[in-house]
């Protein structure tokens, strides 16, 4: 049997350590939101972000204990519970011919060997009548799972395909388990397997499933009638249950755990941490919205006044940029969200470029007006009428500067909310690093493009 310690885990340990460092940094940052006396402390906000901080703490604990969660999903009567029972070699989960035997998620521990501990999670059928609450429960389980087993028992139905696509949308590694193969002749079994290879990808344009992503099993084979001949010549017929055909699935799971188990654990923890940080940022922005609006208008007035009265064109642009950076940093401090000087300058460049060139054009116009204003200021001693020209340029330039400051402030609000996991050891940064190191022969490779584009961190 494959042992978990046969393959060096240097890269996996690195991924796990990066994830731990990222979570500890996030807890250090956002923990200030609940500390009395902090600038960002607010009793109402502290209550709102408490569940999200608990998610960060729980996720960090999960990393420290090296517990990988594998959840089994599927429609009713596909044999999810039987598959998990067969994996652990004991009938701990209830099975039966009736629909809806599993009424709520149940967890059982599985120690396949090595340091990694596995938690197997059985879920209710995704198509049960009046099962909306159970469906929501299943989504929550999928969010926490590191690896998903989607159990089918033949060709995929429309309902099954929709459920599979929804699970694919959760962007977790998934193994399609073709159960009850003992009920099909070899020819039919091979044909169904080929169909599942394409449909199981969840997208007709996606690459077919690889061997590690689709496995055939018979978790609880149907009893067979056996002819028994006794020494006295008496003949009897008895029913015997064949042994489960589960070794292929067990070896596939062990191979994945051995090859990338801790990377799976790290990646899922970071995705959960990123979601929690986004929730904290969103709630913080909502609570601080009025104060932020006042702050933006304050900087807008100051910037407009300073730029309008300053007679030197170069200093207009430089001073305006410094004011924009100060506004971004001030908003970050108001929200209690992480923002370094380097990140503020990077954010300002992003805002300027993402404006479709509008703000850059305004900067250019401001500089040109500034040159005219400088010329008028220099010449005003010889010709008093140039004071009027100076005043006109100053008013126009002040209006442009004020517009720019307000636009930067409003854009910064959005970026602070959506980009709260930026920076060194930020969740998005570490996710990008892990995805860039994924090998083509891993189960994580299928997620690389989809997950990376969804998070907005990789292009290919």
């Amino acid at each position: 049997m494959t042992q978990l310690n046969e393959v060096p885990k240097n890269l996996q340990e690195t991924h796990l350590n990066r994830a731990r460092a990222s979570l500890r940094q996030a807890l250090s940052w956002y923990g200030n939101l609940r500390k009395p006396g902090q600038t960002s402390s607010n009793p109402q906000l502290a209550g709102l972000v408490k569940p999200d901080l608990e998610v960060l703490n729980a996720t960090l604990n999960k990393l420290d204990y090296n517990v990988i969660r594998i959840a089994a999903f599927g429609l009713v009567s596909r044999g999810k519970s039987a598959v998990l029972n067969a994996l652990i070699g004991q009938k701990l989960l209830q099975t039966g011919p009736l629909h809806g035997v599993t009424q709520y998620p149940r967890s059982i521990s599985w120690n396949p060997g090595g340091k990694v501990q596995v938690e197997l999670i059985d879920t209710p059928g995704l198509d049960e009548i009046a099962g909306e609450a159970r469906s929501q429960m299943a989504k929550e389980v999928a969010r926490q799972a590191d690896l998903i087993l989607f159990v089918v028992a033949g060709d995929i139905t429309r309902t099954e395909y929709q459920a599979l696509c929804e699970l694919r949308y959760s962007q977790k590694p998934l193994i399609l388990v073709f159960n009850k193969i003992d009920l099909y002749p070899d020819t039919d079994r091979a044909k169904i397997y080929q169909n599942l290879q394409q449909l199981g990808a969840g997208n007709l344009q996606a690459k077919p499933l690889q061997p590690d992503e689709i496995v055939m099993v018979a978790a609880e084979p149907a009893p067979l009638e056996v002819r028994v001949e006794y020494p006295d010549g008496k003949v009897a017929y008895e029913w015997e249950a064949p042994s489960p055909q589960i070794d292929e699935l067990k070896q596939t799971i062990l191979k994945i755990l051995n090859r990338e188990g801790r990377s799976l654990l790290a990646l899922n923890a970071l995705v959960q941490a990123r979601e929690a940080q986004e929730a904290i940022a969103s709630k913080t922005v909502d609570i601080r919205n009025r104060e932020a609006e006042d702050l933006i208008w304050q900087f807008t007035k100051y910037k407009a006044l300073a730029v309008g009265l300053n007679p030197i064109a170069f200093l207009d642009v430089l001073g305006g940029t410094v004011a924009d950076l100060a506004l971004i940093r001030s908003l970050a401090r108001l929200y209690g969200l992480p923002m370094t000087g380097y990140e503020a300058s990077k954010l300002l460049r992003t805002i300027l470029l993402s404006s479709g060139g509008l703000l850059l054009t305004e900067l250019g116009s401001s500089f040109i007006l500034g040159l005219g204003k400088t010329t008028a200021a220099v010449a005003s001693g010889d010709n008093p009428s140039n004071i009027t020209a100076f005043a006109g340029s100053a008013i126009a330039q002040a209006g442009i500067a004020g517009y720019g400051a307000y636009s930067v402030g409003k854009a910064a609000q959005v970026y602070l909310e959506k980009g709260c996991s930026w920076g060194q050891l930020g969740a998005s940064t570490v996710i990008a690093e892990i995805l860039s190191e994924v090998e083509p022969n891993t189960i994580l490779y299928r997620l690389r493009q989809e997950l990376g584009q969804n998070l907005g961190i990789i292009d290919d």
Side-chain angles (χ1 to χ4, degrees):
M1 178 178 291
T2 302
Q3 295 297 318
L4 292 178
N5 57 2
E6 289 179 356
V7 179
K9 293 187 176 62
N10 294 338
L11 186 59
Q12 292 191 59
E13 287 292 348
T14 299
H15 292 167
L16 210 55
N17 289 334
R18 288 178 192 165
R20 288 193 185 102
S22 178
L23 284 164
R24 290 188 182 115
Q25 176 178 267
L27 284 167
S28 174
W29 278 339
Y30 298 117
N32 290 333
L33 295 173
R34 298 179 61 192
K35 292 180 180 178
Q38 295 289 336
T39 303
S40 56
S41 178
N42 179 299
Q44 182 183 2
L45 179 60
L48 287 174
V49 302
K50 181 179 178 181
D52 304 301
L53 291 173
E54 289 174 349
V55 168
L56 291 175
N57 273 307
T59 304
L60 180 59
N61 290 335
K62 181 171 174 280
L63 284 180
D64 290 337
Y65 285 107
N66 288 326
V67 178
I68 292 182
R69 292 191 175 103
I70 302 178
F73 292 92
L75 305 192
V76 294
S77 300
R78 298 308 193 260
K80 301 182 298 298
S81 302
V83 167
L84 299 184
N85 283 336
L87 278 175
I88 61 176
Q90 300 180 62
K91 196 169 183 179
L92 299 181
L93 298 170
Q94 184 181 2
T95 62
L98 299 179
H99 282 200
V101 171
T102 302
Q103 298 295 313
Y104 51 88
R106 292 191 60 190
S107 301
I108 51 177
S109 297
W110 180 38
N111 186 359
K115 297 181 181 179
V116 176
Q117 297 295 316
V118 178
E119 180 183 346
L120 299 175
I121 306 174
D122 193 17
T123 63
L126 296 174
D127 60 334
E128 291 188 65
I129 299 175
E132 184 176 347
R134 294 189 184 102
S135 177
Q136 184 60 38
M137 196 184 305
K139 290 179 182 178
E140 177 61 23
V141 172
R143 188 182 68 82
Q144 298 180 18
D146 303 297
L147 178 65
I148 290 174
L149 305 180
F150 191 82
V151 182
V152 299
D155 279 321
I156 292 182
T157 65
R158 181 180 296 275
T159 303
E160 243 165 353
Y161 183 72
Q162 291 173 346
L164 177 60
C165 289
E166 289 179 6
L167 285 172
R168 284 287 186 195
Y169 187 72
S170 70
Q171 298 173 330
K172 298 295 177 68
L174 186 147
I175 299 175
L176 187 63
V177 181
F178 177 12
N179 189 25
K180 303 186 180 182
I181 58 172
D182 56 302
L183 303 181
Y184 298 92
D186 291 343
T187 303
D188 293 345
R189 186 188 306 174
K191 185 176 180 180
I192 293 173
Y193 182 88
Q194 290 178 353
N195 292 337
L196 292 176
Q197 277 188 302
Q198 186 58 62
L199 292 174
N203 186 334
L204 296 179
Q205 282 70 48
K207 294 180 180 179
L209 297 182
Q210 299 301 307
D212 279 0
E213 298 177 285
I214 178 170
V215 180
M216 295 192 294
V217 303
E220 200 172 47
L224 298 176
E225 190 176 34
V226 179
R227 186 173 185 270
V228 181
E229 296 183 2
Y230 293 95
D232 61 0
K234 183 180 178 182
V235 176
Y237 292 88
E238 299 177 358
W239 292 92
E240 292 186 1
S243 299
Q245 300 176 38
I246 201 69
D247 284 347
E248 184 180 352
L249 177 60
K250 185 179 294 186
Q251 292 299 323
T252 297
I253 293 175
L254 288 171
K255 180 180 178 182
I256 292 171
L257 295 182
N258 179 44
R259 186 181 60 203
E260 53 195 305
R262 298 189 183 186
S263 297
L264 284 173
L265 191 61
L267 188 61
N268 188 50
L270 289 165
V271 170
Q272 290 188 63
R274 189 178 190 275
E275 292 173 352
Q277 290 176 62
E278 287 181 343
I280 291 172
S282 178
K283 293 171 184 177
T284 305
V285 168
D286 288 343
I287 290 290
R288 302 287 191 182
N289 188 58
R290 176 60 65 85
E291 296 171 74
E293 190 71 18
D294 292 341
L295 183 64
I296 291 172
W297 275 113
Q298 183 180 3
F299 269 84
T300 297
K301 290 184 288 187
Y302 288 160
K303 180 181 175 182
L305 185 62
V307 170
L309 294 178
N310 178 58
I312 303 175
F314 172 74
L315 292 181
D316 285 345
V317 176
L318 179 61
T321 302
V322 171
D324 289 338
L325 290 173
L327 172 57
I328 292 172
R329 294 291 298 275
S330 297
L331 283 171
R333 283 196 298 270
L334 173 65
Y335 293 143
L337 301 176
M339 177 63 67
T340 65
Y342 168 76
E343 288 162 346
S345 63
K346 183 178 178 182
L347 175 55
L348 180 58
R349 289 196 301 272
T350 302
I351 292 171
L352 293 176
L353 293 174
S354 66
S355 67
L358 180 60
L359 290 179
L360 290 174
T361 302
E362 297 296 344
L363 284 176
S365 301
S366 179
F367 183 71
I368 293 172
L369 287 170
L371 288 175
K373 186 178 63 175
T374 301
T375 302
V378 172
S380 62
D382 300 328
N383 184 359
S385 65
N386 284 314
I387 296 177
T388 303
F390 175 86
S393 295
I395 292 172
Q397 194 180 20
I400 291 174
Y403 167 79
Y406 186 79
S407 298
V408 167
K410 298 304 288 185
Q413 282 185 286
V414 176
Y415 279 99
L416 285 170
E417 179 180 353
K418 301 300 181 183
C420 56
S421 57
W422 296 348
Q424 186 179 16
L425 288 179
S428 295
T429 303
V430 181
I431 289 172
E433 291 173 354
I434 293 177
L435 291 176
S436 69
E437 296 167 347
V438 168
E439 295 293 334
N441 64 336
T442 62
I443 198 168
L444 276 176
Y445 191 76
R446 182 177 292 274
L447 297 180
R448 179 177 176 175
Q449 181 175 1
E450 181 182 355
L451 181 58
Q453 289 179 345
N454 179 265
L455 296 177
I457 51 180
I458 63 173
D459 298 322
D460 59 355

